[in-house]
Amino acid sequence: MNDGSGFTHNSAAYNSTVGIQAETVHNPTVNIHADASPQEKYKVGVRYLEDGVPSRARDMISDAIARGHDGAEVRFHWVLAMLSARAYHDLSTEELQRLHHASGLTGTYAEGEWKDALRVAFELLAMLSTTDGETGRVLERLLALSPSQRDAILHHLDLVLTGGLKDSLWAENRERAEAVRFGNDRVQRVWAYFEPDPVGPRALPPRPSTAAAARAFLPLRVGLFVVVTAFLWTLALVADPAAAVIELLVALGAGLTAAHFGRGWWYQEHWLKAKNRESHIPHTRDPSSTGDGFTNRVRHSFDHYFSTRVPHGFAPHEWFGYTVQIRNARVAEIALLYRESRISVDRVNWLIRYLAEDALDRHNKGTLFDHRDQNQTPAVAKALCVAALITLAITTLTLQGTVASGVGAWQMVLAILAVAGAAWSGHAAASSWLEAWGEERRLAEETQEYQEQLTARQVAYQNWKSFLDTTRPSELEMETWLTCDKTLFVDEALRHYQLTWRDLITHTILMTPARPYKRGRVKGGPWRYSRYSFRLFLVTQDGVREISSEFDFTDAKRGDEQRSNYRFDALSSVQVTERAHVGYDLELILTNGPARNIRVKDADTHQLAPDENAQEIAEINLNSAGFIHTFRLLEGIAADGKGWIERNDPNNLPSFRADD
């Protein structure tokens, strides 16, 4: 559907998948609540203006003014917001009327530096259609302003100022961009902007204890064992009292000895089997595959961090084999803890990295497999347990022999049944006791391990989050660096074509994402990219010069440039297509060549917060990319050709009279 403005809306997505390496939405540094005062809204509007979101700044400052918060400083920032990232011909009739009205209010404000800055802004706007000789006085007043006010005017009136006026300021503008471009440790900090906010620390809680269920059967089994053994001992006392007493004492001592030394051995074997079952997690797919499953992405992340954190003396593949059980157990743990909707592996990588580093540290300390040794039963204890069990078995048989020596045949049968019953009930009672005791010990150990793990992970989380918060650039820094890149890109293009600002009718620069990229934004702000494609259009009387190049935003290194020139009549049409699940595409059609498709921005509806408006965020992103101005410029040239250029020549613009 075409709405008449050149925008085509289409809900169908491309067949191809939009490939994005990573995308991050941070909490905003600019916050506003519904009942905010006009003063608060004004301050937020100024922050939006500084952060490169003039459309939101216009709304906020205009609302503050409408609610009575006015003055030279407020109006100064309002004018900058009205003109930021816009050329004179982008202003509507209503907006020009509002600017004229505001210029008439200048004289009513109190004298001071803000009134001087406001007056200079309006005088610069009035200079657009005057001869170069009349600009000297305004330039002197501009240079007399404070550096922050002067820089703000030059930055936000970039597309308004043209011709000799801009020629006079360009050298200083270029020098300032060169000086600030890599300021505040840009190269070492940009990466942190695209790093996602880490999700909070978690650890596997202890498994529920089954000790209560085991204890439920213990009284019955112990009671049965006591009754049967008492009956057997009674028979032995009848047959030979002295021997029965000795055999009972020996059996009791052997049983207690076996219980004392055997329970640790039993727990060790039982505990190790459980741990080994947890460690041997089968691969649901080939580890080298690139499937989309969360568990598979967690596994790939573990493989990456373990491959970069290898102990001295190990090759990566050797370390992989050595730690396979640990990695499998951790993969299963992380997948279980964080497998929930909209939680990406990127937000958990801090924990995976910490676990890889922890494994390396524990290996270097010789404690990597402590869980295998912490419950090891000494060989002496095992030997005593075995000896006690053998003694118990021999004593039981001896006791049976004592019974047989002094009773009849039918009593012998009862003795045999009693021995069998004692063995069965004793085993059952011992199993229930060991399970209850083992579960209590396991719960205590796992609770301690859980608390230790969670505490260590909370420390690692806080350290990482603090480091990110300290390292991550602010919106103002990101916008400042991006503005410097654009300024120097334009300057190089002017030098290449040997053009001055006097030679230009207008210009525009379109910034689009360059794949592969990472992207990030604050809530309510525009997307910022780790790699950009800059496309500059210089419009002169002879035609349009187009220069494009890819930028790595971290270090501002550029790829090869592409240049093309065409006459006004060569641009036959411009159209924009919006695809809801893909993004915006700009189609540029020339009469002497194939159509050129430019991806302006990727879709972001799935990354919106519940209280964000999709249309508003899309507008912010398009304005930030320079799309609105670029589209209007190219659309006008395509529609009217030379006629549009003549109407929008700075020398032919209608006069803007600054009332004072």
Side-chain angles (χ1 to χ4, degrees):
M1 179 184 71
N2 193 298
D3 62 7
S5 64
F7 288 80
T8 301
H9 303 282
N10 189 340
S11 60
Y14 285 146
N15 292 327
S16 59
T17 301
V18 178
I20 301 173
Q21 282 188 325
E23 49 188 17
T24 303
V25 180
H26 305 294
N27 291 325
T29 55
V30 179
N31 289 289
I32 190 69
H33 47 88
D35 56 348
S37 66
Q39 292 81 2
E40 290 174 319
K41 288 195 171 185
Y42 163 69
K43 291 179 180 179
V44 170
V46 173
R47 287 294 302 275
Y48 273 123
L49 182 64
E50 293 173 343
D51 295 347
V53 192
S55 59
R56 293 291 295 273
R58 285 194 292 272
D59 295 339
M60 289 291 176
I61 300 176
S62 295
D63 190 29
I65 293 174
R67 295 174 60 185
H69 184 56
D70 198 0
E73 180 181 356
V74 177
R75 283 291 176 176
F76 172 74
H77 288 107
W78 178 82
V79 170
L80 296 187
M82 289 292 291
L83 300 175
S84 183
R86 308 170 89 187
Y88 188 85
H89 55 262
D90 291 331
L91 300 171
S92 66
T93 301
E94 179 186 355
E95 289 171 331
L96 286 172
Q97 290 174 348
R98 292 174 65 189
L99 284 168
H100 276 291
H101 174 71
S103 70
L105 298 175
T106 304
T108 65
Y109 300 131
E111 295 294 332
E113 61 172 350
W114 290 110
K115 181 175 181 178
D116 293 338
L118 179 62
R119 183 184 292 113
V120 169
F122 279 124
E123 289 179 348
L124 287 172
L125 194 57
M127 291 293 103
L128 296 180
S129 58
T130 62
T131 61
D132 292 342
E134 300 177 19
T135 63
R137 180 178 61 88
V138 180
L139 288 176
E140 289 179 2
R141 297 183 64 177
L142 173 64
L143 296 175
L145 298 177
S146 68
S148 60
Q149 292 173 332
R150 182 171 67 251
D151 292 347
I153 290 175
L154 294 178
H155 172 53
H156 294 291
L157 272 64
D158 176 63
L159 294 178
V160 174
L161 303 178
T162 57
L165 187 63
K166 196 160 187 176
D167 267 339
S168 304
L169 302 167
W170 187 245
E172 180 184 354
N173 201 17
R174 181 184 66 244
E175 291 173 1
R176 184 172 58 254
E178 290 175 340
V180 177
R181 187 182 197 183
F182 294 107
N184 294 338
D185 205 14
R186 167 182 178 174
V187 175
Q188 301 300 323
R189 295 176 57 215
V190 164
W191 66 269
Y193 186 88
F194 305 104
E195 189 73 17
D197 292 326
V199 69
R202 303 173 190 174
L204 281 179
R207 290 170 291 147
S209 174
T210 60
R215 273 195 221 96
F217 296 99
L218 188 58
L220 178 62
R221 293 174 177 178
V222 170
L224 180 60
F225 175 73
V226 170
V227 169
V228 173
T229 53
F231 175 72
L232 181 62
W233 186 54
T234 300
L235 292 176
L237 281 174
V238 172
D240 188 345
V245 170
I246 294 173
E247 290 163 353
L248 177 63
L249 293 176
V250 171
L252 185 61
L256 291 176
T257 300
H260 177 74
F261 291 105
R263 65 177 184 176
W265 188 7
W266 175 90
Y267 181 76
Q268 172 209 342
E269 295 298 324
H270 184 78
W271 187 85
L272 275 181
K273 286 179 181 178
K275 282 293 182 182
N276 287 335
R277 283 196 300 270
E278 294 175 6
S279 299
H280 288 89
I281 307 297
H283 290 280
T284 57
R285 61 182 73 189
D286 188 332
S288 64
S289 67
T290 56
D292 292 332
F294 180 77
T295 302
N296 202 43
R297 293 196 294 274
V298 170
R299 192 182 305 281
H300 281 302
S301 188
F302 267 102
D303 290 349
H304 166 71
Y305 286 113
F306 268 78
S307 68
T308 58
R309 287 153 178 81
V310 180
H312 178 71
F314 275 86
H317 70 277
E318 294 173 335
W319 180 240
F320 266 39
Y322 191 65
T323 59
V324 61
Q325 292 186 14
I326 293 176
R327 292 202 323 278
N328 284 345
R330 293 307 191 190
V331 167
E333 177 188 0
I334 298 303
L336 179 63
L337 288 173
Y338 292 97
R339 185 188 282 112
E340 56 189 69
S341 60
R342 306 182 77 84
I343 294 293
S344 68
V345 175
D346 291 334
R347 298 187 62 195
V348 191
N349 275 339
W350 71 269
L351 178 55
I352 298 175
R353 181 174 56 249
Y354 161 74
L355 293 175
E357 292 170 351
D358 180 62
L360 175 61
D361 291 341
R362 287 193 290 118
H363 172 269
N364 292 337
K365 295 175 183 177
T367 60
L368 180 59
F369 297 108
D370 264 2
H371 70 275
R372 296 180 180 178
D373 303 323
Q374 63 183 0
N375 291 299
Q376 286 286 348
T377 304
V380 174
K382 291 181 180 180
L384 290 173
C385 178
V386 171
L389 290 173
I390 293 174
T391 302
L392 181 61
I394 294 173
T395 304
T396 302
L397 294 176
T398 304
L399 184 65
Q400 185 178 357
T402 301
V403 172
S405 66
V407 297
W410 66 272
Q411 291 171 319
M412 184 61 191
V413 173
L414 290 177
I416 293 174
L417 292 175
V419 170
W424 178 84
S425 60
H427 179 270
S431 296
S432 295
W433 172 71
L434 286 172
E435 184 176 352
W437 174 83
E439 276 295 287
E440 291 175 350
R441 177 173 172 178
R442 177 197 62 78
L443 182 61
E445 289 180 355
E446 288 188 358
T447 299
Q448 181 181 358
E449 182 182 13
Y450 167 74
Q451 292 172 344
E452 290 174 351
Q453 283 186 349
L454 188 59
T455 300
R457 293 176 186 186
Q458 286 172 338
V459 171
Y461 169 78
Q462 290 298 335
N463 289 341
W464 177 245
K465 193 172 185 304
S466 298
F467 177 69
L468 273 184
D469 292 342
T470 303
T471 306
R472 181 180 289 134
S474 66
E475 286 295 290
L476 177 58
E477 288 174 316
M478 294 290 285
E479 181 65 19
T480 299
W481 293 330
L482 186 60
T483 299
C484 292
D485 289 341
K486 290 191 293 183
T487 298
L488 296 175
F489 182 59
V490 172
D491 182 71
E492 186 173 316
L494 292 174
R495 291 169 181 256
H496 174 79
Y497 287 112
Q498 297 182 343
L499 294 172
T500 66
W501 287 103
R502 300 169 190 268
D503 301 320
L504 297 184
I505 295 173
T506 189
H507 77 289
T508 186
I509 185 167
L510 179 65
M511 298 179 299
T512 59
R515 297 176 183 276
Y517 64 77
K518 296 180 181 180
R519 69 176 181 175
R521 69 180 181 93
V522 298
K523 182 181 173 183
W527 284 113
R528 302 188 186 277
Y529 299 90
S530 61
R531 297 183 71 248
Y532 282 97
S533 177
F534 285 1
R535 196 177 301 268
L536 173 65
F537 297 90
L538 300 175
V539 182
T540 68
Q541 291 291 345
D542 299 326
V544 179
R545 291 176 172 85
E546 179 186 344
I547 311 98
S548 63
S549 181
E550 291 188 355
F551 274 75
D552 187 322
F553 188 70
T554 300
D555 52 16
K557 289 183 179 178
R558 281 188 283 168
D560 296 334
E561 287 189 358
Q562 295 180 343
R563 303 184 183 93
S564 58
N565 305 318
Y566 39 87
R567 303 184 311 277
F568 301 125
D569 56 3
L571 185 59
S572 62
S573 68
V574 179
Q575 185 165 312
V576 173
T577 303
E578 177 192 1
R579 293 175 172 84
H581 302 292
V582 178
Y584 285 82
D585 285 336
L586 175 67
E587 186 178 50
L588 196 64
I589 301 176
L590 302 177
T591 57
N592 58 348
R596 296 162 58 195
N597 290 297
I598 304 171
R599 170 60 54 82
V600 178
K601 64 178 288 292
D602 285 319
D604 51 23
T605 53
H606 66 292
Q607 283 285 356
L608 296 180
D611 57 342
E612 286 186 309
N613 181 278
Q615 190 61 38
E616 185 178 77
I617 296 300
E619 180 183 349
I620 288 173
N621 281 296
L622 292 175
N623 270 302
S624 177
F627 165 77
I628 301 298
H629 176 59
T630 301
F631 175 74
R632 288 175 177 169
L633 171 63
L634 297 179
E635 183 186 43
I637 294 175
D640 299 332
K642 195 76 172 180
W644 186 93
I645 298 301
E646 292 173 354
R647 286 196 306 274
N648 291 276
D649 190 316
N651 295 322
N652 299 328
L653 290 177
S655 174
F656 182 94
R657 183 175 59 85
D659 299 325
D660 197 350

